[in-house]
Amino acid sequence: MWGGRFAEGPAAVMREINASIPFDKRLWQQDIRASKAHVAMLAEQGIVKAEDAARIAQGLDTIAAEYEANGVPVDLALEDIHMATEARLAELIGPTAGRLHTARSRNDQVATDFRLWVRDAIDAVELGLIELQKALVTRAEEHADAVMPGFTHLQSAQPVTLGHHLMAWYEMIRRDRDRFADARRRLNECPLGAAALAGTGFPIDRHATASALDFAKPTDNSLDSVSDRDFALDYLMAASQCSLHLSRMSEEIIIWASQPFGFVALPDQWSTGSSIMPQKRNPDAVELVRGHAGRITGCLNALMMTMKGLPLAYSKDMQDDKPPVFEAHDLLALSIAAMTGMTQSVTFRTDRMRALAESGFATATDLADWLVREAGLPFREAHHVTGRAVKLAEEKGLALAALPLADLQAINPAINDSVFSVLTVDASVASRMSHGGTAPAQVRARIADAKTLLGIS
Ligand code: ARG
């Protein structure tokens, strides 16, 4: 490519360290799409002849068909996907191929290709996350009334419903989708035509290429255009946050699947056995989702470190932008699909959840609230009275609701028979009707909102 200036070829190791084709071949569709938009604009502007542009476009279509059928051939001498495609174009149509690179540099070319790729990746993630949300909403609706212990500090706190818990996961994913949408909006400006760093003297139409590639507008500064990788970092930040959510969900499923909890039975399709312990059923799928979060956030860190000291405009360090994004995307796509499959097929053992909710004095707050409401006690005093009731129940090995009235009255004489109506777990959850609370009626209302947003009935 630069034979005019160089007498010798590169050393073998130079060739190897310099080449990005082994990984950037994944950009081939975006590269061909951007080249076709570029050459169509060059013809429209009278910068290349219409018949040359047509031959170039045809040649690019031929190459696309070849890549589709046989994959992209990896020849380190051709360095990257941009040079490989141009070299193949020259084999197919001869010297006319050399006109494609008019008014363009690999610097704006790679920036454009990679933006297109990340945009496609965001769209794929969005579809995956919608499927996960649908699965969560479906399971939440099935279990809108199912009582389970709610935890703080992983200690039984207050009863909640399983539907409410699953809708908490839905909310995490709703924010993730919003972050990806935000990344997509900011990404959607086209760097093509920034050329090497300074723009070009050719009378190009950057608005035309931007709109042909479905970008909202061209970028506004040529130096920034070729040196900016914020879009890749934005993607990795959204992916990292999403992976943290998937990891936290995984952790809960892992805890729930343990024998002491026994809240879920893992589906055959999403678990593995042990080669030595016949009784085992391991939550490998979700353990790997939890593990992948470490790798995905590692990818974010890798690219942040690559970018942190780079002066304007392009530096070759930036070629290292692609492997972490590709890796994170592959891991995230798999993680989302695995979490969706797990959500759809896991068996919730609601009998077990209810039994544990009833055993942990989880309605103690309801007793304290009753004392405030019905007996006029200040909450701090009610808390104290309730603490004594819990202590007594614990000593007697009884649930709060099973304590004899006389015992409760010995602790505080204002307590009467009506207290028992708030001490059951069902009464407890049903009472929590504040917006976003765990009452089944509230949960169903939030599920209805979610279904409207997702367009499902
Ligand atoms: N393979 C390079 C990359 O991915 C393309 C840009 C090369 N530009 C340059 N000035 N050498 O970043």
Side-chain angles (χ1 to χ4, degrees), residues 20 24 79-80 82 106-107 110 229 314 316 318-319 321-322:
S20 53
D24 72 16
E79 199 179 316
D80 58 25
H82 324 294
R106 276 186 300 155
N107 295 350
V110 73
R229 292 295 181 272
Y314 178 86
K316 196 63 173 257
M318 290 165 69
Q319 178 165 286
D321 57 357
K322 287 166 258 346

Side-chain angles (χ1 to χ4, degrees), residues 18-27 74 319-323 326:
N18 201 37
S20 53
I21 183 83
F23 52 85
D24 72 16
K25 61 184 180 168
R26 272 184 87 161
L27 298 177
V74 171
Q319 178 165 286
D320 281 344
D321 57 357
K322 287 166 258 346
F326 293 158

